[in-house]
């Protein structure tokens, strides 16, 4: 049916019944500081289970978890494509795990953010929710919504609503830089 060489699964590490050849886990500042599992905390499983990983990728961190030094690791730096940021007032509409990173990136480049509409990770937007967002920004005379690449895919079905309300949906891409891009590609 499909000629597939690679399947990349988001949040697949904890699903052990899925057959895999390589486990890559991204570690951020929340992972390092957190000790509690969902729902009390941020972790999906105990940190000690990271020993099953083949690769640890440290996002925007210089430090590493000492107890996992034996696991191959890489460091990435993240930023956003600031070229799409406009001078006008805007809102943020997102449903990602850590919206504060996205908000901080936009604030770093002086985006004029009036409000953040943040939904839970993996949320599928409903027409009623989008109508409320449009009502809010219409009353504030805002014409721009910033969103992530992940969210843009889910928001595409509302393009007609945005266009009829004269609202510009701007997708801000995440830029990722590896500390050693060549070595990472060779390793995987």
């Amino acid at each position: 049916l499909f000629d597939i060489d690679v399947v990349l699964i988001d949040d697949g590490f904890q699903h052990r019944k899925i057959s895999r050849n390589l486990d890559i886990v991204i570690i951020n500042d929340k992972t390092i500081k957190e000790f509690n599992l969902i729902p009390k905390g941020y972790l999906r499983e105990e940190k000690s289970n990271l020993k099953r990983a083949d690769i640890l990728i440290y996002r925007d961190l210089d430090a590493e978890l000492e107890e996992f030094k034996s696991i191959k690791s890489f460091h990435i730096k993240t930023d956003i494509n600031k070229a799409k940021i406009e001078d006008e007032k805007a809102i943020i509409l997102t449903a990602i795990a850590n919206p504060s990173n996205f908000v901080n990136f936009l604030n770093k480049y002086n985006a004029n953010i009036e409000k953040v509409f943040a939904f839970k990770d993996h949320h599928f937007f409903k027409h009623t929710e989008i109508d409320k967002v449009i009502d809010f920004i219409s009353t504030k005379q805002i014409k721009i919504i910033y969103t992530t690449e992940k969210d843009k895919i889910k928001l595409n079905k509302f393009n007609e609503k945005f266009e009829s309300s004269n609202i510009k949906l701007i997708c801000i891409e995440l830029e990722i830089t590896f500390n050693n891009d060549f070595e990472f590609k060779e390793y995987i």
Side-chain angles (χ1 to χ4, degrees), residues 9-25:
I9 301 173
D10 183 26
D11 296 332
F13 186 67
Q14 70 269 20
H15 299 291
R16 294 191 199 172
K17 290 184 180 181
I18 297 173
S19 176
R20 79 276 314 275
N21 298 44
L22 187 67
D23 271 317
I24 301 173
V25 178

Side-chain angles (χ1 to χ4, degrees), residues 128-184:
T128 55
E129 294 165 338
I130 298 305
D131 289 341
K132 287 179 184 174
V133 169
I134 290 172
D135 287 345
F136 174 83
I137 62 179
S138 295
T139 61
K140 300 285 187 177
Q141 298 178 330
I142 297 170
K143 297 294 178 191
I144 295 173
I145 298 174
Y146 293 121
T147 196
T148 66
E149 293 172 275
K150 178 180 172 182
D151 295 314
K152 176 73 168 82
I153 293 165
K154 295 182 279 184
L155 290 168
N156 280 336
K157 69 181 183 181
F158 304 108
N159 281 343
E160 198 172 292
K161 281 187 181 209
F162 294 133
E163 289 169 12
S164 68
S165 299
N166 200 24
I167 295 167
K168 190 192 245 182
L169 185 65
I170 299 177
C171 177
I172 304 291
E173 293 92 7
L174 185 67
E175 297 175 344
I176 300 171
T177 308
F178 274 83
N179 66 327
N180 191 336
D181 189 48
F182 178 77
E183 184 183 349
F184 177 74

Side-chain angles (χ1 to χ4, degrees), residues 5-176:
D5 294 322
V6 175
V7 175
L8 185 64
I9 301 173
D10 183 26
D11 296 332
F13 186 67
Q14 70 269 20
H15 299 291
R16 294 191 199 172
K17 290 184 180 181
I18 297 173
S19 176
R20 79 276 314 275
N21 298 44
L22 187 67
D23 271 317
I24 301 173
V25 178
I26 298 176
I27 308 243
N28 62 17
D29 61 330
K30 280 189 173 183
T31 311
I32 286 190
K33 295 174 190 168
E34 184 64 64
F35 295 97
N36 296 309
L37 299 177
I38 292 172
K40 186 178 179 185
Y42 174 75
L43 300 177
R44 296 179 191 278
E45 58 182 281
E46 298 288 340
K47 270 191 213 174
S48 61
N49 289 332
L50 288 173
K51 65 183 177 282
R52 295 191 336 263
D54 299 297
I55 298 174
L56 297 177
I57 296 178
Y58 292 91
R59 178 185 175 175
D60 297 320
L61 294 169
D62 295 323
E64 294 185 4
L65 293 168
E66 285 298 320
E67 60 267 41
F68 302 107
K69 286 273 193 187
S70 62
I71 298 173
K72 184 70 177 168
S73 66
F74 295 91
H75 290 261
I76 59 172
K77 295 289 181 195
T78 58
D79 206 341
I80 59 169
N81 180 350
K82 63 183 178 186
K84 291 187 174 183
I85 297 174
E86 300 194 9
D87 291 334
E88 298 175 49
K89 290 190 299 185
I91 64 142
I92 295 172
L93 179 56
T94 187
I96 57 176
N98 191 359
S100 61
N101 281 347
F102 186 58
V103 173
N104 291 340
F105 281 136
L106 287 164
N107 286 333
K108 173 180 163 183
Y109 295 113
N110 300 314
N112 188 356
I113 306 302
E114 287 284 312
K115 185 171 175 74
V116 177
F117 289 87
F119 293 83
K120 289 188 178 215
D121 195 18
H122 304 292
H123 178 77
F124 284 93
F125 300 101
K126 298 177 183 107
H127 284 274
T128 55
E129 294 165 338
I130 298 305
D131 289 341
K132 287 179 184 174
V133 169
I134 290 172
D135 287 345
F136 174 83
I137 62 179
S138 295
T139 61
K140 300 285 187 177
Q141 298 178 330
I142 297 170
K143 297 294 178 191
I144 295 173
I145 298 174
Y146 293 121
T147 196
T148 66
E149 293 172 275
K150 178 180 172 182
D151 295 314
K152 176 73 168 82
I153 293 165
K154 295 182 279 184
L155 290 168
N156 280 336
K157 69 181 183 181
F158 304 108
N159 281 343
E160 198 172 292
K161 281 187 181 209
F162 294 133
E163 289 169 12
S164 68
S165 299
N166 200 24
I167 295 167
K168 190 192 245 182
L169 185 65
I170 299 177
C171 177
I172 304 291
E173 293 92 7
L174 185 67
E175 297 175 344
I176 300 171

